[in-house]
Amino acid sequence: MYDLIIVGGGPAGVAAGVYAARKKIKTLLITESFGGQSVVSADVQNWIGTKSISGLDLAKNMEEHLRAQEDIEIADGERVASVAKLPDGSFEIKTESGKSFNTKFILLASGSRRKKLDVPGEKDFEGRGVVYCSICDAPLFKNKAVAVVGGGNTGLEAVMDLFPYASKTYLIVRSDAPKGDAITLDKVKAHENVTIIANAETQAILGKDFVTGLQYKDKTSGEVKELPVDGVFVEIGEVPNSDIVKGLVNMNERGEIIVDHKTEQSSDPGIWAVGDVSDVLYKQNNISAGDAVKAVLNIYSRLMKR
């Protein structure tokens, strides 16, 4: 029986693991891999304390920091398949490989996954021009032409993140007009370097070593067209990795786990959630790590009272 099982190996999971180990909480961390979504970023420039680092190096550093702790067990290469609450209030966690673990408390730091376009070239050029985080990667496209795919608020905000950097931004919208917040849309429309292309369905992302263009179909005329761009920001939303606790905790309409942001505790007194899987307002590595520390300190307090 563990005191705590942490699910996830991104910034939130690793931060939680380091603090749990330092508090000598009997902890197991389960993760498929380390690094989270930033692992595909070519250059992360907003990880506090580090001016510039690749996503792969950031993941390596986090894993090394976690493994340097003496009082934590790690089950990596494992994907959690299910979480069940037992009659005594504890939990049983099963992995896809068939392993089973029991714990008093759970900290879910399983993150989210970006919705993908699923078009030719997208996977080939991930981290080489295809990116999924405008705040993280906009500075990499200074004085370059880019395309942002997505007509909701996420897409509009990505365009605004690119204002100080890109020389030209094309907003690719599948419907006849963007559907985001009116004030944000007005700012996007007013910017001289932005062109909105509506009724456009992305067909492929083109390139050699890096992205060189985006191919789309004009849904009105049926014509297939190409845009010469150096980057493609895919901004069509995220899906939180919360399915494993469905029915155990309260979630919002997007599937994010609703938490008390003072403690990160969910509606179940034995489950905490941090990072992108929670209903935190801003999805950022630094925020996820900080919220994870907050959660572990609250869990430690609960264990001391027990």
Side-chain angles (χ1 to χ4, degrees):
M1 173 70 72
Y2 291 96
D3 288 329
L4 172 64
I5 289 182
I6 300 165
V7 180
V14 170
V18 169
Y19 267 73
R22 292 174 66 83
K23 286 293 187 182
K24 295 190 178 296
I25 300 170
K26 187 179 180 182
T27 302
L28 170 69
L29 184 142
I30 304 173
T31 186
E32 219 174 344
S33 60
F34 288 95
Q37 289 189 37
S38 292
V39 74
V40 300
S41 294
D43 188 10
V44 178
Q45 297 180 354
N46 60 350
W47 181 246
I48 301 304
T50 305
K51 289 192 296 184
S52 175
I53 189 170
S54 72
L56 286 172
D57 284 340
L58 178 59
K60 180 181 177 182
N61 288 354
M62 288 193 292
E63 182 178 359
E64 288 179 350
H65 193 182
L66 183 67
R67 292 190 185 279
Q69 311 306 310
E70 295 180 356
D71 294 293
I72 190 168
E73 294 180 42
I74 300 169
D76 57 339
E78 294 282 355
R79 184 181 180 89
V80 174
S82 65
V83 175
K85 190 164 188 177
L86 304 178
D88 65 357
S90 65
F91 300 90
E92 181 183 33
I93 293 180
K94 292 183 178 179
T95 66
E96 290 185 351
S97 68
K99 295 178 182 178
S100 178
F101 306 97
N102 290 80
T103 183
K104 298 172 185 175
F105 295 145
I106 295 172
L107 175 53
L108 202 63
S110 51
S112 64
R113 56 195 184 276
R114 296 279 185 170
K115 290 182 180 178
K116 302 295 182 71
L117 293 169
D118 291 327
V119 298
E122 180 180 23
K123 186 175 180 61
D124 296 334
F125 296 107
E126 280 188 6
R128 295 188 293 143
V130 174
V131 294
Y132 300 89
C133 178
S134 59
I135 294 176
C136 311
D137 296 320
L140 303 179
F141 294 88
K142 188 174 183 179
N143 299 323
K144 295 183 178 181
V146 298
V148 174
V149 182
N153 277 325
T154 304
L156 295 176
E157 289 167 5
V159 172
M160 291 183 64
D161 287 337
L162 285 157
F163 280 173
Y165 302 105
S167 59
K168 181 68 180 179
T169 301
Y170 298 95
L171 178 61
I172 310 299
V173 183
R174 289 191 61 179
S175 57
D176 56 1
K179 301 184 183 301
D181 176 74
I183 295 175
T184 307
L185 179 56
D186 287 344
K187 291 179 181 178
V188 167
K189 285 181 175 178
H191 200 280
E192 59 183 1
N193 292 340
V194 176
T195 297
I196 298 174
I197 303 177
N199 292 308
E201 186 171 348
T202 302
Q203 300 287 291
I205 296 171
L206 313 173
K208 294 180 181 178
D209 294 329
F210 294 90
V211 168
T212 59
L214 179 140
Q215 185 182 81
Y216 71 94
K217 179 180 179 181
D218 186 322
K219 294 168 64 178
T220 303
S221 67
E223 183 181 356
V224 176
K225 303 178 180 181
E226 291 184 9
L227 287 173
V229 294
D230 300 296
V232 177
F233 286 73
V234 181
E235 301 288 352
I236 55 176
E238 299 179 352
V239 180
N241 297 319
S242 59
D243 291 348
I244 55 175
V245 291
K246 190 173 183 179
L248 293 179
V249 298
N250 292 338
M251 300 181 187
N252 62 22
E253 68 279 0
R254 294 183 295 276
E256 297 168 332
I257 298 169
I258 299 170
V259 299
D260 174 354
H261 292 284
K262 290 182 179 180
T263 62
E264 308 305 320
Q265 190 176 52
S266 74
S267 57
D268 186 292
I271 299 176
W272 286 253
V274 293
D276 289 8
V277 76
S278 76
D279 66 341
V280 63
L281 184 57
Y282 302 110
K283 314 294 189 183
Q284 292 291 299
N285 286 342
N286 293 294
I287 294 172
S288 297
D291 284 351
V293 171
K294 186 196 308 180
V296 169
L297 294 177
N298 185 245
I299 290 166
Y300 178 74
S301 178
R302 284 279 304 280
L303 286 168
M304 292 300 97
K305 288 178 181 177
R306 288 178 61 153

